[in-house]
Amino acid sequence: MRATLGEPTTLQAMEAVLDDAGPITVETVVSARWESSRSGLINLAHERAAALTDGPEPVEITFHALVHPDRGLYVIDTGAAEALAAHDHPLRTGAVGQALNFGALRVETGLGVWRGDRPLAGVLLTHLHVDHVLGLPDVARDVPIFLGPGEPAFESPFHALTQPVVDELLDGRAALQEWVFGGSGVIDVFGDASLFALAAPGHTPGSVAYVARTPEGAVLFTGDVCHTVWGWLNDVEPGTFSHDHADGARSLAFLRALAARHPSMQVRLGHQSL
């Protein structure tokens, strides 16, 4: 369904206020630590990646807590549910968990434990891959979930493996709400220029990045447009985990250029910390 939040705006209008302090407070929480394939996280076929080899790469599974003074608490992505700390959790021991090396997953701060009794106003997903919705069991079923256009219908070999798990995590929840981007690919989420959603296709066709204006300045959340510190610093898009390398490279270049135009902007990557 069409998102009940947000109105299209322009990149120029967003950038005009990005260097001004804003009202949203941000906390990034490393919910779990994990290892994944370097060739999935970084395009090893890229000429700048010639010195890299495939192998396990340490990654973080995070959620970003955003508090708006009027709108309340939202999270970008969901981290991991506290129940996943159990080594015999079905998601660890089942076929999907084994294929994704979830045996190496170490939960540090479950979303539910972190949140406590604070009400959650909404979930803002960067995309619908399973490692970004592992915290949904700690989210009440009536909390709205917002994500990029076409994400619920997107199919790929990776989704074929993980879709049953994602479907189970989404079962019984309200209809997913899809951003409707204008021609500029920018949405003013709350209508007050405090939080923006940016179309950033490539990793998935509906991947979204977000920019929040905080009292300390702007914060960019790349999602899996860039998983790793190495990829960000060397301008190399993700590898085999992505749907379209060319689109991914364009989205990464767009976000890196945005950050370069606003040097005080903090950058929060998909799975590692700068």
Side-chain angles (χ1 to χ4, degrees), residues 128 133 136 141 145 165-173 176:
L128 202 51
V133 295
L136 281 180
R141 293 186 179 275
I145 299 173
V165 173
V166 173
D167 288 345
E168 183 176 350
L169 291 170
L170 294 173
D171 185 47
R173 298 182 180 275
L176 299 175

Side-chain angles (χ1 to χ4, degrees), residues 17 32 50 55 175 187 204 224 248 267:
V17 299
I187 287 176
T204 65
D224 285 0
V267 178

Side-chain angles (χ1 to χ4, degrees), residues 178-196:
E178 300 181 41
W179 300 120
V180 179
F181 289 101
S184 68
V186 183
I187 287 176
D188 182 344
V189 173
F190 297 130
D192 62 359
S194 65
L195 177 67
F196 301 92

Side-chain angles (χ1 to χ4, degrees), residues 93-143:
T93 59
V96 171
Q98 293 181 32
L100 297 180
N101 190 32
F102 277 171
L105 189 72
R106 304 189 310 279
V107 176
E108 295 191 350
T109 305
L111 175 58
V113 169
W114 178 89
R115 183 174 58 82
D117 59 1
R118 287 173 289 186
L120 187 60
V123 172
L124 311 172
L125 292 179
T126 59
H127 61 295
L128 202 51
H129 278 173
V130 65
D131 53 318
H132 291 255
V133 295
L134 290 174
L136 281 180
D138 290 350
V139 176
R141 293 186 179 275
D142 61 346
V143 172

Side-chain angles (χ1 to χ4, degrees), residues 24-33 60-67 73-79 108-109 111 114 210 212 214 216 218-223 266-274:
I24 292 179
T25 61
V26 168
E27 180 181 355
T28 292
V29 178
V30 177
S31 185
R33 298 187 188 275
E60 303 163 348
I61 295 179
T62 58
F63 61 87
H64 311 281
L66 279 58
V67 178
L73 172 64
Y74 285 75
V75 291
I76 296 177
D77 295 331
T78 67
E108 295 191 350
T109 305
L111 175 58
W114 178 89
Y210 295 90
T214 81
E216 292 76 36
V219 182
L220 168 65
F221 307 91
T222 71
Q266 299 178 47
V267 178
R268 310 286 168 90
L269 303 176
H271 287 287
Q272 290 181 352
S273 300
L274 276 170

Side-chain angles (χ1 to χ4, degrees), residues 81-96:
E82 187 63 27
L84 273 171
H87 293 292
D88 61 350
H89 190 283
L91 189 51
R92 288 179 178 271
T93 59
V96 171

Side-chain angles (χ1 to χ4, degrees), residues 8 79-80 97 168 228 252:
E168 183 176 350
T228 66
L252 176 57

